[in-house]
Amino acid sequence: MVYITLLPPIRTQMKMNCKKCGNEINELNFTEEQKFEVLGLVKQDLKLFAVKKIIDDFGYGHKEAKIIVTHLNSENGKCQRCDFDELENENSECPKCGAFNYNLDEPIFNSDFCTHLEWKLHFENLGIESVKRFWCDGVDSIPYNLKSLSKENIKKNKSILTRAWIGEDGQGVYEMEIKLGKKAIENYLNGSSLIDCIPEKDNKNWIKIDPELNKIKVELK
């Protein structure tokens, strides 16, 4: 008989005190998927759910998890306790009020990238008569599967599945596959933006659309 020992989640060793509230702070190493979920909950002011996520993923008690969420500033660079908005690094102490801020970078696949992708989607020169008047009214920044945001998935599958709103009125719901090219994969693994990996408008080969199946595939550089 084989016995398997389940180990608790790994915690990092750095601890410090927040000068503003006096609480001890635990440093956490978020995966891209965890960062996406936790920051999304904080931005929507769903902090109780963010606390539960920290408890479930990292094994902290309720008090510790609540302290962690309290120090997650929802906007990168802006202190969670005062109006200082020039924090530069993760795990930063605000120079104005002394509060600790996790100051997490935005997930690489985020609303800013999706907005830029939306702006670059043009269909009039694809040589498909039925889509000449199509336009895109948005790309969903929440993928079908959050696990697809992991670096392991990016290296293996080289794609992210989401949806976009496309059509003559911009409201048709399309399944969108975003294929990542060599540069995009490199940027993703290094934590850099994908925006400069979006091909230019005059490139006709990076967009493949099937209006009958409501599917679209775009290939980043």
Side-chain angles (χ1 to χ4, degrees):
M1 182 179 292
V2 178
Y3 293 92
I4 300 174
T5 302
L6 297 178
L7 298 177
I10 297 175
R11 303 180 186 182
T12 57
Q13 298 300 311
M14 186 282 287
K15 289 180 182 289
M16 62 177 291
N17 283 13
C18 174
K19 292 181 179 178
K20 186 70 175 179
C21 67
N23 284 306
E24 188 178 71
I25 303 299
N26 295 281
E27 182 183 23
L28 299 175
N29 287 324
F30 288 94
T31 64
E32 194 71 13
E33 177 188 349
Q34 289 168 328
K35 186 189 296 184
F36 187 99
E37 288 190 271
V38 173
L39 274 183
L41 292 169
V42 172
K43 287 176 182 293
Q44 297 175 71
D45 202 27
L46 299 173
K47 294 185 178 181
L48 289 177
F49 292 94
V51 168
K52 185 178 186 304
K53 176 71 178 173
I54 297 296
I55 293 172
D56 292 345
D57 282 17
F58 294 92
Y60 284 108
H62 183 269
K63 181 179 178 180
E64 292 173 302
K66 187 175 180 181
I67 290 172
I68 289 169
V69 170
T70 300
H71 292 83
L72 284 168
N73 47 321
S74 61
E75 183 179 341
N76 181 264
K78 182 173 175 57
C79 177
Q80 46 90 12
R81 291 296 294 269
C82 72
D83 60 357
F84 187 80
D85 60 0
E86 296 181 9
L87 298 173
E88 295 182 356
N89 302 312
E90 291 191 359
N91 304 318
S92 295
E93 181 181 285
C94 177
K96 182 176 180 179
C97 72
F100 176 86
N101 292 266
Y102 282 102
N103 198 38
L104 300 178
D105 290 331
E106 286 283 335
I108 300 166
F109 184 75
N110 56 33
S111 58
D112 193 27
F113 163 75
C114 288
T115 298
H116 278 79
L117 179 58
E118 170 197 338
W119 292 341
K120 289 289 186 70
L121 292 176
H122 296 274
F123 305 98
E124 64 272 16
N125 296 322
L126 296 182
I128 305 175
E129 186 66 30
S130 62
V131 305
K132 280 188 174 182
R133 293 185 176 84
F134 278 20
W135 60 284
C136 180
D137 193 32
V139 174
D140 198 346
S141 61
I142 302 177
Y144 285 144
N145 185 352
L146 288 178
K147 294 186 183 301
S148 67
L149 297 180
S150 70
K151 292 183 178 180
E152 290 74 18
N153 176 75
I154 294 300
K155 287 189 287 187
K156 179 181 179 180
N157 296 319
K158 302 178 178 61
S159 67
I160 298 171
L161 287 177
T162 187
R163 60 177 177 170
W165 289 268
I166 297 169
E168 291 192 7
D169 60 356
Q171 298 304 306
V173 181
Y174 274 65
E175 178 184 294
M176 171 179 275
E177 180 180 7
I178 302 173
K179 298 289 292 184
L180 278 66
K182 182 178 180 180
K183 180 180 180 182
I185 293 172
E186 182 178 333
N187 279 21
Y188 198 99
L189 298 180
N190 291 333
S192 302
S193 174
L194 296 177
I195 292 175
D196 62 349
C197 300
I198 303 173
E200 295 302 320
K201 175 184 176 180
D202 56 0
N203 184 332
K204 302 178 183 179
N205 299 319
W206 70 287
I207 301 173
K208 308 294 183 183
I209 185 169
D210 188 333
E212 293 186 3
L213 296 178
N214 279 45
K215 290 187 176 182
I216 182 170
K217 179 189 293 186
V218 296
E219 297 185 18
L220 305 186
K221 292 185 284 186

